[in-house]
Amino acid sequence: MFHKVQKVKALPNFILKVDFINGICKYYDVKPLLEIWQPFKALKYTNGLFNLVKVDVGGYGIS
């Protein structure tokens, strides 16, 4: 079962605040991904890129 994302906000220290349409709010620490996955390294080294996070069309993911 998928939970649709209503909104997402980039917080300091590579934390995402994700609000779902069912009223649940979760915080996700992206820092571990910055060290493991090469594509995520750009988030760390490109100033302001992390703050461009948005909800994908339909609410099934974030970009």
Side-chain angles (χ1 to χ4, degrees), residues 40-53:
F40 284 89
K41 290 181 189 270
L43 295 173
K44 187 174 182 179
Y45 297 113
T46 305
N47 194 18
L49 184 60
F50 184 73
N51 293 321
L52 297 177
V53 66

Side-chain angles (χ1 to χ4, degrees), residues 1-2 7 10-13 15-16 21 26 28-30 33 35-36 39 41 44-47 49 53-55 62:
M1 177 176 180
F2 289 101
K7 61 183 175 176
L11 301 175
N13 206 23
I15 304 291
L16 293 175
I21 62 169
K26 297 280 185 174
Y28 186 75
D29 185 358
V30 179
L33 298 175
E35 304 304 322
I36 296 172
K41 290 181 189 270
K44 187 174 182 179
Y45 297 113
T46 305
N47 194 18
L49 184 60
V53 66
K54 64 180 181 172
V55 178
I62 59 170

Side-chain angles (χ1 to χ4, degrees), residues 18-31:
V18 184
D19 294 309
F20 296 90
I21 62 169
N22 62 359
I24 293 174
C25 174
K26 297 280 185 174
Y27 292 88
Y28 186 75
D29 185 358
V30 179
K31 286 187 300 295

